[in-house]
């Protein structure tokens, strides 16, 4: 018998009259607001306009939520469209089920649309947003804690997570303690955020033009690989591996190839993130002044 373990929350939904307030949704929203705030600070510190980030987020966030849900439904269709299932539940985002690869992929499409409106390079925005994006994932993972879902194999470690009988696997209804994989991933994400901020501060010009975002992909997918090995929730398998493992491998490989093949930044990459035409004109004026001084 374990003397120490992590308790699960007694409830994940509160009601204000007929309106349900779901902890999962609150965690997702808290992650989004934190990401927008941190990205705005980084953009502002780089010489950009913070309001640009809010404008881009208006496009990126809805696309990201839609992409996350589509990824979940398309990779596990039997949860909603098999015999005896209810297809309408595929729309129930508040019950959980947002796939991070899909959220990032379609969120990038929304970000691209927002960047086009502001005359901003998507790669520059991605570098500014990478630390905020991964900390949003760290916060959002706590929604799984309140839903008592996506936990790992049974364990007797002191930090084992207690799961209520109603949320335990059907093949082990008497086993109460499991690996808190939501916590593992959340802590890993915080570590990835710290790594990205350190890289950006210590080697600022080296990690531009999408390279810092590629580092985020490398670090996140590495952690996701060992966390997936612990999880026991439903997942489609191919050749003994979960589908998410293959997605992580593809993303890891793509990010690594990009880092290897992308050109080294030129001296012009020392400039702040280019937020728009006004800032670009200002930077051009500074460059012209410097050139004039050299000729003198």
């Amino acid at each position: 018998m374990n003397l120490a373990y992590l308790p699960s929350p007694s409830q994940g939904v509160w009601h204000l009259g007929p309106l349900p307030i779901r902890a999962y949704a609150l965690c997702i929203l808290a992650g989004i607001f934190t990401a927008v705030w941190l990205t705005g600070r980084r953009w502002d510190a780089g010489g950009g306009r913070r309001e640009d980030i809010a404008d881009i987020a208006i496009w990126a966030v809805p696309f990201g939520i839609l992409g996350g849900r589509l990824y979940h439904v398309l990779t596990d269709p039997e949860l909603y469209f098999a015999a005896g299932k209810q297809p309408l539940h595929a729309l129930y985002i508040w019950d959980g089920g947002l796939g991070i690869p899909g959220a990032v992929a379609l969120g990038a499409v929304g970000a691209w649309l927002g960047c086009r409106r502001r005359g901003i390079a998507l790669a520059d925005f991605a570098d500014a947003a990478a630390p905020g994006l991964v900390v949003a994932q760290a916060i959002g993972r706590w929604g799984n804690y309140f839903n008592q879902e996506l936990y790992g194999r049974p364990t007797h470690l002191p930090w084992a997570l207690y799961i209520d009988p109603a949320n335990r696997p059907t093949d082990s209804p008497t086993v109460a303690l499991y690996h808190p994989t939501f916590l593992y991933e959340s802590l890993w994400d915080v570590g990835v955020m710290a790594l990205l901020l350190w890289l950006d501060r210590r080697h600022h010009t080296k990690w531009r033009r999408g390279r810092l975002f590629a580092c985020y992909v490398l670090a996140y997918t590495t952690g996701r690989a060992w966390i997936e090995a612990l999880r026991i929730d439903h997942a489609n398998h191919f050749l003994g591996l979960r589908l998410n493992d293959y997605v992580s491998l593809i993303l890891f490989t793509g990010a690594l190839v990009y880092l290897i093949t992308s050109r080294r930044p030129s001296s012009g990459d020392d400039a702040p993130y280019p937020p728009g035409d006004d800032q670009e004109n200002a930077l051009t004026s500074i460059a012209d002044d410097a050139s004039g001084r050299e000729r003198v």
Side-chain angles (χ1 to χ4, degrees), residues 105-128:
L106 205 54
V109 174
W112 174 73
L113 293 172
C115 286
R116 285 194 63 185
R117 288 167 50 87
R118 291 284 180 166
I120 294 170
L122 179 61
D124 291 325
F125 171 77
D127 286 338

Side-chain angles (χ1 to χ4, degrees), residues 51-140:
E51 58 267 26
D52 289 343
I53 301 305
D55 186 70
I56 295 171
I58 291 175
W59 291 86
V61 171
F63 273 73
I65 293 174
L66 177 61
R69 190 58 176 181
L70 284 175
Y71 178 89
H72 168 70
V73 173
L74 292 176
T75 54
D76 294 302
E78 62 276 7
L79 296 178
Y80 305 99
F81 303 108
K85 300 295 183 180
Q86 300 187 38
L88 185 62
H89 287 182
L91 303 177
Y92 291 5
I93 296 178
W94 52 86
D95 283 340
L98 292 175
I100 290 174
V104 174
L106 205 54
V109 174
W112 174 73
L113 293 172
C115 286
R116 285 194 63 185
R117 288 167 50 87
R118 291 284 180 166
I120 294 170
L122 179 61
D124 291 325
F125 171 77
D127 286 338
L133 178 60
V134 74
V135 79
Q137 295 171 205
I139 296 171

Side-chain angles (χ1 to χ4, degrees), residues 38-39 42-43 122-134 191-221 255-256 258-260 262-263 265 273:
L38 179 57
T39 303
R42 285 171 50 77
W43 195 256
L122 179 61
D124 291 325
F125 171 77
D127 286 338
L133 178 60
V134 74
V192 172
M193 178 197 67
L195 172 65
L196 296 177
L197 292 176
W198 178 82
L199 285 173
D200 198 34
R201 181 175 300 177
R202 185 71 179 272
H203 307 285
H204 188 57
T205 59
K206 183 178 180 181
W207 305 108
R208 283 293 182 84
R209 301 298 187 247
R211 291 170 63 85
L212 190 69
F213 186 84
C215 290
Y216 148 70
V217 175
L218 284 174
Y220 171 72
T221 54
L256 183 61
Y258 179 79
L259 283 177
I260 294 173
S262 59
R263 65 177 178 84
Y273 297 110

Side-chain angles (χ1 to χ4, degrees), residues 2-290:
N2 278 43
L3 298 178
Y5 59 85
L6 301 176
S8 285
S10 58
Q11 64 184 101
V13 183
W14 300 267
H15 289 83
L16 293 178
L19 179 65
I21 306 298
R22 301 180 185 275
Y24 183 90
L26 293 178
C27 291
I28 297 297
L29 290 174
I32 291 171
F33 281 116
T34 302
V36 173
W37 171 80
L38 179 57
T39 303
R41 286 200 58 178
R42 285 171 50 77
W43 195 256
D44 182 67
R49 296 184 294 259
R50 187 173 293 197
E51 58 267 26
D52 289 343
I53 301 305
D55 186 70
I56 295 171
I58 291 175
W59 291 86
V61 171
F63 273 73
I65 293 174
L66 177 61
R69 190 58 176 181
L70 284 175
Y71 178 89
H72 168 70
V73 173
L74 292 176
T75 54
D76 294 302
E78 62 276 7
L79 296 178
Y80 305 99
F81 303 108
K85 300 295 183 180
Q86 300 187 38
L88 185 62
H89 287 182
L91 303 177
Y92 291 5
I93 296 178
W94 52 86
D95 283 340
L98 292 175
I100 290 174
V104 174
L106 205 54
V109 174
W112 174 73
L113 293 172
C115 286
R116 285 194 63 185
R117 288 167 50 87
R118 291 284 180 166
I120 294 170
L122 179 61
D124 291 325
F125 171 77
D127 286 338
L133 178 60
V134 74
V135 79
Q137 295 171 205
I139 296 171
R141 272 301 173 204
W142 285 82
N144 302 134
Y145 169 64
F146 283 96
N147 281 357
Q148 296 193 43
E149 61 185 3
L150 306 189
Y151 45 83
R153 299 194 299 263
T155 182
H156 294 291
L157 292 170
W159 54 84
L161 177 65
Y162 178 85
I163 298 297
D164 292 333
N167 296 303
R168 295 173 189 170
T170 56
D171 57 350
S172 57
T174 60
V175 178
L177 301 178
Y178 299 84
H179 278 284
T181 49
F182 85 91
L183 180 60
Y184 298 163
E185 186 166 341
S186 183
L187 293 175
W188 181 270
D189 289 343
V190 171
V192 172
M193 178 197 67
L195 172 65
L196 296 177
L197 292 176
W198 178 82
L199 285 173
D200 198 34
R201 181 175 300 177
R202 185 71 179 272
H203 307 285
H204 188 57
T205 59
K206 183 178 180 181
W207 305 108
R208 283 293 182 84
R209 301 298 187 247
R211 291 170 63 85
L212 190 69
F213 186 84
C215 290
Y216 148 70
V217 175
L218 284 174
Y220 171 72
T221 54
T222 298
R224 187 64 183 263
W226 67 266
I227 291 168
E228 284 286 332
L230 291 173
R231 283 172 46 170
I232 59 173
D233 54 287
H234 170 82
N236 288 310
H237 288 72
F238 297 97
L239 300 177
L241 292 177
R242 294 162 66 97
L243 179 58
N244 284 334
D245 288 319
Y246 290 101
V247 174
S248 293
L249 180 60
I250 292 171
L251 294 175
F252 180 93
T253 303
L256 183 61
V257 169
Y258 179 79
L259 283 177
I260 294 173
T261 60
S262 59
R263 65 177 178 84
R264 295 180 61 83
S266 64
S267 58
D269 289 334
D270 289 334
Y273 297 110
D277 294 338
D278 293 340
Q279 186 68 19
E280 288 176 0
N281 292 336
L283 294 175
T284 301
S285 298
I286 293 172
D288 290 343
D289 290 343

